[in-house]
Amino acid sequence: MSKPTPLSGFPELLPEQKFVEQRVTDSLRRTFELHGFAPVETRAVEPLDNLLRKGETSKEVYVLRRLQADPEQADTDAGIGLHFDLTVPFARYVLENAGKLEFPFRRYQIQKAWRGERPQEGRYREFAQADIDVVMKDELPFHFDIEVARVMAEALSVLPLPPMKLRVNNRKLIEGFYRGIGASDPAEVIRIVDKLDKLPSTTVAEMLVAEAGLSEEQAKQCLSLAEISARDTSFVDQVRALGVEHDLLTRGLEELAAVVEGCSSVNGDRFSVEASLSLARGLDYYTGTVFEIFMEGFEFLKSVGGGGRYDALASDGKTTYPGVGISFGISRTLVPLLSRGVLAGSRAVPSAVLVALPDEASRPLSDAVAQQLRAGGVPAEVAAAPQKFGKQIRYAERRGIPFVWFFGADENGAATDHQVKDIRSGEQTPADPATWQPPAEDLVPAVLTQQSPDKEQHS
Amino acid sequence: MSKPTPLSGFPELLPEQKFVEQRVTDSLRRTFELHGFAPVETRAVEPLDNLLRKGETSKEVYVLRRLQADPEQADTDAGIGLHFDLTVPFARYVLENAGKLEFPFRRYQIQKAWRGERPQEGRYREFAQADIDVVMKDELPFHFDIEVARVMAEALSVLPLPPMKLRVNNRKLIEGFYRGIGASDPAEVIRIVDKLDKLPSTTVAEMLVAEAGLSEEQAKQCLSLAEISARDTSFVDQVRALGVEHDLLTRGLEELAAVVEGCSSVNGDRFSVEASLSLARGLDYYTGTVFEIFMEGFEFLKSVGGGGRYDALASDGKTTYPGVGISFGISRTLVPLLSRGVLAGSRAVPSAVLVALPDEASRPLSDAVAQQLRAGGVPAEVAAAPQKFGKQIRYAERRGIPFVWFFGADENGAATDHQVKDIRSGEQTPADPATWQPPAEDLVPAVLTQQSPDKEQHS
């Protein structure tokens, strides 16, 4: 086999990068669980009819077949494909297990998904994401909209990532506004206003007139609404100043104000929550709150997450399951940051200590020392070969292992005279393998950030 | 959508079961990392030519195609399939990244794989496994055979599972023995002896005569060798007593004795390591040590793991990468244990505490109390609705949440008079949300074992 080449759209990480991803997923999981969200993992595949219920994604689905499927049994496998998000499989999981779940059901799901779309930075054919959702039977109280926003905000604000912004809007608010100005087809207005991030506002205004049948004055009001954004509830007065009245608008303003207000405790430098009235999210199953997440300095990635409320996440004909949730793109965020060196792991192995090997006959001694360190929770490995100590130190250096452990042997052949060397400073001190601990920041690989790769570390 | 039915061979877990799997994978990961094994995760797909290099597995591969692939661009996607194990993708990863890895390279990989085979208990079409391997350039010292056995033994012995047995043999030993008795085609003898777990020994003896051209006396010696097993190095004398001499046999005996000897510290009640001279493992890329793992009381699952040494894990024509490793079947082990109730999670949510909600207006107070608990590392959720306290307690009960938190409000509307109730005992005591901790065994969902589902808990 000659040297293989990477497969476009299927990113893989080196071990030192994988540590960073692990730190991120561990941290997300911890926050979600602290808030009572239970883990769910769904199979990678779904029946095609479940994947294709929303026609727009059909061209992205990877379909599976067994290479040597027996034609007579072909239907056993026929019609399954890889899931392209975690919402479709979760909705199916809720229906399938409804009798065994307690509602409201809070779940998180950190898993891969696949889309056969054209790869580009931040958009991959295989990608990991982290979703949280709360699902209820029949009716889902509004306070869960605030809860999912706050949980995701807290989860992202403690990650070692560039500052993030959660933009929030409300479909009732914009639909009520468009109805209030007399638009006959609010869905069409939403579709056109949603293009504001790609097209100049004059073009959007022309489209609103030509395609949504608005007057120029109505189109102008739509753009005025879209221009409003605020990190507090001051947007309410700005919207009211536009002089439009509609019950849905009133309800939407209340809900959006409640989300922004409810997130005030997490609103800060590393994470901000902003009412952003241009946000629409094209998908028409959202019925109230909508979210999108952006990363500072990486706006070219577009949103790195999003979500909202859907009044019918799933339905079996008798019972309807409304939900509200947010998804965060782990691969979309981390792969660009890692490949650009904005984030890096501090070493390529988990080992904090390399136990030196004086000679091959001493391997059981070195093994025993390493095992004592591990019993104290310190990751350790033994040198692969009894090279000169200078070479063993370089062995550690190449892997980023910060400490090398030396020892002698007493007259009975037991290990003695233990010394630990910090190979960065060169400092060597006596130590007891049963009790020694490295500084906390050296115990496990650290996440280094570009600003100051040598010093700045996030835990 | 009507109620979906499960897909045969694609097991999914309920949240309370998923906690058990998480506990197992977290524990495996911790042991592997303490021993310096670095994490690798490979993409789910490989080029078909890489998957099919070993013809025997070809019929199990799931091939991918994009549902609406453009015929003119079909070759972009053509020829990729889901990996059916973690060894093939790891070998490719090593070749692809050889210039960026340090050798010896210790890696663990905990991930799913897919095989389109007929599903049965313990054999799934989608399954998770945990692999460890050590890979070197050109030559891999023998002591790594001992290391991987010891690391996997340690990793499995601390899991809350039925006792496990690691059976070990050595291909040099058996090949040398067969050569020593004058067998002209040792590979054929290995293939036939490998059937001893399915066929009676008399049938195997007849096959050895008829198909491998052995005399009855030679066949008898082969069976005598296969009968030998021992948890210590006493097997060496038993083999020598058969009076066969061959250099390969001598080398194999030394190696097998070294593995058994090297694992003596982990040999115990919950985990045993046994030299088992009938073990061959059909796959012909193993060149020395071979391993299989069995679970007590679940021998019908056959091996729940296995591995060995391969002198050419990967090769790019110039450099050869030998390796030694062991794989453990997570789904194969856990899904039967969970579905039979041998293992269960103690609750369906991570929350250790349900914070009561006196009335809807008090939600900010309840939220603040929950947040104080979370700041102390205690998973907590707030009751979904301000029902009567009896109903809120039953809400906690249904989810297995052990504690319910009550509070009052002082004249300024601040929370006061905090009380925590253990709903199992009914005991209610005053507590401070800023410092209160549940007993350690209640902090996170526990793993319950069948022997005594109410009491016995493993951490």
Side-chain angles (χ1 to χ4, degrees):
Chain A
M1 187 177 187
S2 56
K3 190 185 169 192
T5 49
L7 219 50
S8 173
F10 292 89
E12 288 184 330
L13 303 177
L14 290 169
E16 55 268 39
Q17 300 173 320
K18 180 71 184 158
F19 284 123
V20 177
E21 195 199 63
Q22 277 188 345
R23 195 69 59 83
V24 166
T25 53
D26 285 353
S27 177
L28 290 171
R29 177 178 147 190
R30 179 168 167 78
T31 306
F32 299 155
E33 293 192 352
L34 278 173
H35 286 266
F37 284 71
V40 162
E41 182 174 4
T42 55
R43 62 192 187 218
V45 304
E46 290 296 321
L48 277 184
D49 58 358
N50 192 29
L51 293 173
L52 301 182
R53 281 190 302 149
K54 306 195 177 62
E56 51 169 326
T57 50
S58 61
K59 68 175 187 300
E60 301 171 355
V61 171
Y62 278 114
V63 182
L64 263 59
R65 70 174 169 86
R66 283 194 298 145
L67 185 59
Q68 306 205 346
D70 180 344
E72 293 179 32
Q73 300 189 327
D75 58 336
T76 322
D77 279 323
I80 59 173
L82 297 175
H83 57 224
F84 54 81
D85 72 3
L86 303 180
T87 304
V88 170
F90 175 57
R92 188 264 313 154
Y93 178 95
V94 167
L95 282 186
E96 189 176 319
N97 296 293
K100 298 168 188 159
L101 302 174
E102 292 293 336
F103 296 92
F105 178 45
R106 289 176 180 86
R107 85 87 172 75
Y108 73 91
Q109 192 166 348
I110 300 177
Q111 223 179 311
K112 283 185 175 171
W114 295 266
R115 293 185 188 193
E117 64 190 352
R118 201 192 203 358
Q120 50 178 298
E121 190 177 21
R123 300 255 175 184
Y124 307 104
R125 294 188 153 190
E126 176 176 73
F127 53 95
Q129 59 181 69
D131 280 26
I132 55 171
D133 286 273
V134 184
V135 175
M136 189 67 185
K137 276 184 180 171
D138 303 324
E139 205 151 322
L140 178 71
F142 174 74
H143 61 79
F144 289 113
D145 292 43
I146 303 172
E147 179 172 330
V148 295
R150 202 157 48 195
V151 172
M152 187 56 90
E154 184 181 322
L156 297 182
S157 65
V158 298
L159 295 180
L161 301 178
M164 298 267 181
K165 180 185 284 184
L166 180 72
R167 294 172 64 197
V168 195
N169 199 359
N170 189 291
R171 294 290 287 255
K172 290 175 193 150
L173 190 163
I174 50 178
E175 189 183 330
F177 186 90
Y178 301 149
R179 288 191 187 281
I181 60 170
S184 58
D185 186 354
E188 182 65 6
V189 177
I190 290 174
R191 191 187 63 78
I192 296 170
V193 171
D194 206 24
K195 296 187 187 297
L196 271 174
D197 60 343
K198 290 180 204 129
L199 300 175
S201 56
T202 49
T203 311
V204 171
E206 285 162 18
M207 289 170 71
L208 285 170
V209 172
E211 298 173 27
L214 299 192
S215 70
E216 284 186 17
E217 179 56 30
Q218 286 171 322
K220 207 179 131 200
Q221 280 191 292
C222 292
L223 294 182
S224 299
L225 182 75
E227 277 165 13
I228 296 172
S229 72
R231 284 176 58 168
D232 53 33
T233 54
S234 61
F235 71 89
V236 177
D237 286 343
Q238 293 181 61
V239 175
R240 291 213 173 109
L242 297 177
V244 178
E245 294 288 338
H246 194 276
D247 283 354
L248 259 184
L249 170 62
T250 305
R251 178 89 182 110
L253 279 170
E254 281 169 13
E255 289 190 358
L256 184 55
V259 172
V260 172
E261 186 77 24
C263 290
S264 57
S265 63
V266 288
N267 223 334
D269 290 342
R270 309 225 0 96
F271 195 91
S272 59
V273 179
E274 182 183 281
S276 175
L277 278 71
S278 64
L279 188 70
R281 269 182 99 66
L283 307 168
D284 56 7
Y285 46 82
Y286 290 115
T287 51
T289 306
V290 286
F291 302 108
E292 284 198 349
I293 305 169
F294 295 85
M295 184 161 64
E296 201 172 276
F298 291 83
E299 286 78 8
F300 70 90
L301 294 174
K302 312 267 173 186
S303 67
V304 297
R309 162 177 289 249
Y310 21 80
D311 282 336
L313 169 70
S315 172
D316 60 8
K318 277 182 296 191
T319 310
T320 296
Y321 299 86
V324 61
I326 309 185
S327 172
F328 171 64
I330 295 175
S331 301
R332 176 174 301 186
T333 308
L334 287 186
V335 173
L337 292 174
L338 289 166
S339 64
R340 289 162 177 251
V342 176
L343 292 182
S346 65
R347 56 189 195 243
V349 292
S351 312
V353 180
L354 177 76
V355 178
L357 182 67
D359 47 59
E360 195 54 45
S362 301
R363 186 170 292 280
L365 284 188
S366 296
D367 280 342
V369 169
Q371 200 62 8
Q372 278 186 289
L373 289 165
R374 291 173 196 133
V378 180
E381 62 182 89
V382 173
Q387 298 172 301
K388 285 183 183 156
F389 283 154
K391 282 203 167 185
Q392 295 193 33
I393 290 171
R394 279 194 292 283
Y395 179 101
E397 230 163 28
R398 281 198 305 276
R399 288 161 175 79
I401 302 174
F403 296 97
V404 177
W405 196 279
F406 298 101
F407 60 91
D410 65 17
E411 62 275 15
N412 303 315
T416 182
D417 292 333
H418 293 277
Q419 300 262 329
V420 63
K421 185 187 192 78
D422 183 330
I423 64 172
R424 298 159 299 187
S425 65
E427 196 186 350
Q428 186 165 327
T429 47
D432 178 352
T435 58
W436 181 83
Q437 288 284 323
E441 65 271 22
D442 289 330
L443 184 62
V444 294
V447 177
L448 307 177
T449 61
Q450 197 177 38
Q451 288 74 30
S452 167
D454 295 314
K455 300 272 188 263
E456 195 180 336
Q457 296 177 345
H458 294 275
S459 64
Chain B
M1 187 175 187
S2 56
K3 190 185 170 192
T5 49
L7 220 49
S8 173
F10 292 88
E12 288 184 329
L13 304 177
L14 290 169
E16 54 267 40
Q17 299 173 320
K18 180 70 184 159
F19 284 122
V20 177
E21 195 198 64
Q22 278 189 343
R23 196 69 59 84
V24 166
T25 54
D26 285 352
S27 177
L28 290 170
R29 178 178 147 189
R30 179 168 168 79
T31 305
F32 299 155
E33 293 192 351
L34 278 173
H35 285 265
F37 284 71
V40 162
E41 181 174 4
T42 55
R43 62 191 187 218
V45 303
E46 291 296 321
L48 277 184
D49 58 358
N50 192 28
L51 293 173
L52 301 182
R53 280 190 302 148
K54 306 195 177 64
E56 51 169 326
T57 51
S58 60
K59 69 176 186 301
E60 300 172 356
V61 171
Y62 278 114
V63 183
L64 263 58
R65 71 174 169 85
R66 283 193 298 147
L67 184 59
Q68 307 204 346
D70 179 346
E72 292 178 32
Q73 299 189 328
D75 58 335
T76 322
D77 280 323
I80 60 172
L82 296 175
H83 58 224
F84 54 80
D85 71 4
L86 304 181
T87 304
V88 169
F90 175 57
R92 188 263 314 154
Y93 179 95
V94 167
L95 283 186
E96 189 176 318
N97 297 292
K100 298 168 189 160
L101 302 174
E102 292 293 336
F103 297 93
F105 178 46
R106 291 176 179 87
R107 86 86 172 76
Y108 73 90
Q109 192 167 347
I110 300 177
Q111 222 178 312
K112 282 184 176 173
W114 294 267
R115 293 186 187 192
E117 64 190 354
R118 201 194 203 357
Q120 50 178 298
E121 190 176 22
R123 301 255 175 186
Y124 306 106
R125 294 188 153 190
E126 175 176 75
F127 53 95
Q129 58 181 69
D131 281 26
I132 55 171
D133 286 272
V134 184
V135 175
M136 189 66 183
K137 276 183 180 172
D138 303 323
E139 205 152 320
L140 179 71
F142 173 74
H143 61 80
F144 288 114
D145 292 43
I146 304 172
E147 180 173 329
V148 295
R150 203 157 47 195
V151 172
M152 188 57 89
E154 185 182 320
L156 297 182
S157 65
V158 298
L159 296 181
L161 302 178
M164 299 267 181
K165 180 185 284 184
L166 180 71
R167 294 173 62 198
V168 196
N169 199 1
N170 189 293
R171 294 291 288 254
K172 291 174 193 151
L173 190 162
I174 51 178
E175 188 182 332
F177 186 90
Y178 301 149
R179 288 193 188 281
I181 61 170
S184 57
D185 187 352
E188 181 66 6
V189 177
I190 290 173
R191 191 187 62 79
I192 296 169
V193 171
D194 205 25
K195 297 186 187 296
L196 271 174
D197 61 344
K198 291 181 203 128
L199 300 175
S201 56
T202 49
T203 311
V204 171
E206 285 162 18
M207 289 171 71
L208 285 170
V209 174
E211 298 173 27
L214 299 193
S215 70
E216 284 186 17
E217 179 55 31
Q218 286 171 323
K220 207 180 131 199
Q221 280 190 292
C222 292
L223 294 181
S224 298
L225 182 74
E227 277 164 13
I228 296 172
S229 72
R231 285 176 57 167
D232 53 32
T233 55
S234 62
F235 72 89
V236 178
D237 286 344
Q238 293 180 61
V239 175
R240 291 213 174 106
L242 297 177
V244 179
E245 294 288 339
H246 194 278
D247 283 354
L248 258 185
L249 171 61
T250 306
R251 178 87 182 112
L253 279 170
E254 282 168 12
E255 290 190 358
L256 184 55
V259 172
V260 171
E261 187 78 22
C263 290
S264 57
S265 63
V266 287
N267 222 335
D269 289 341
R270 309 227 356 99
F271 195 91
S272 59
V273 180
E274 182 182 281
S276 175
L277 279 73
S278 63
L279 189 69
R281 270 183 98 65
L283 307 168
D284 56 6
Y285 46 80
Y286 290 115
T287 50
T289 306
V290 286
F291 302 107
E292 284 197 350
I293 304 169
F294 294 85
M295 183 160 65
E296 200 173 277
F298 291 82
E299 287 78 5
F300 70 90
L301 293 174
K302 311 269 173 186
S303 67
V304 297
R309 162 174 290 248
Y310 23 80
D311 283 336
L313 169 70
S315 172
D316 60 9
K318 280 183 293 191
T319 310
T320 296
Y321 298 87
V324 60
I326 309 185
S327 172
F328 171 65
I330 295 175
S331 301
R332 177 174 299 188
T333 308
L334 287 187
V335 174
L337 293 174
L338 289 166
S339 63
R340 289 162 178 251
V342 176
L343 291 182
S346 65
R347 56 188 195 243
V349 292
S351 312
V353 179
L354 176 76
V355 178
L357 182 66
D359 47 60
E360 195 55 46
S362 301
R363 187 171 292 282
L365 285 187
S366 296
D367 280 343
V369 170
Q371 201 62 7
Q372 278 186 291
L373 289 165
R374 292 172 195 134
V378 180
E381 61 183 89
V382 173
Q387 299 171 299
K388 285 184 183 156
F389 283 155
K391 281 203 168 183
Q392 295 193 35
I393 290 171
R394 280 195 292 284
Y395 178 102
E397 229 163 30
R398 281 198 305 274
R399 288 160 175 79
I401 302 174
F403 297 97
V404 177
W405 195 278
F406 298 101
F407 61 91
D410 65 17
E411 62 275 18
N412 303 315
T416 182
D417 293 333
H418 293 277
Q419 300 261 333
V420 64
K421 185 187 193 79
D422 184 331
I423 64 172
R424 297 159 301 187
S425 66
E427 196 185 350
Q428 185 165 326
T429 47
D432 178 352
T435 58
W436 181 82
Q437 289 284 325
E441 65 271 22
D442 288 331
L443 184 62
V444 294
V447 177
L448 307 177
T449 62
Q450 196 178 40
Q451 289 73 33
S452 167
D454 295 314
K455 300 270 187 262
E456 194 179 334
Q457 297 177 343
H458 294 277
S459 67

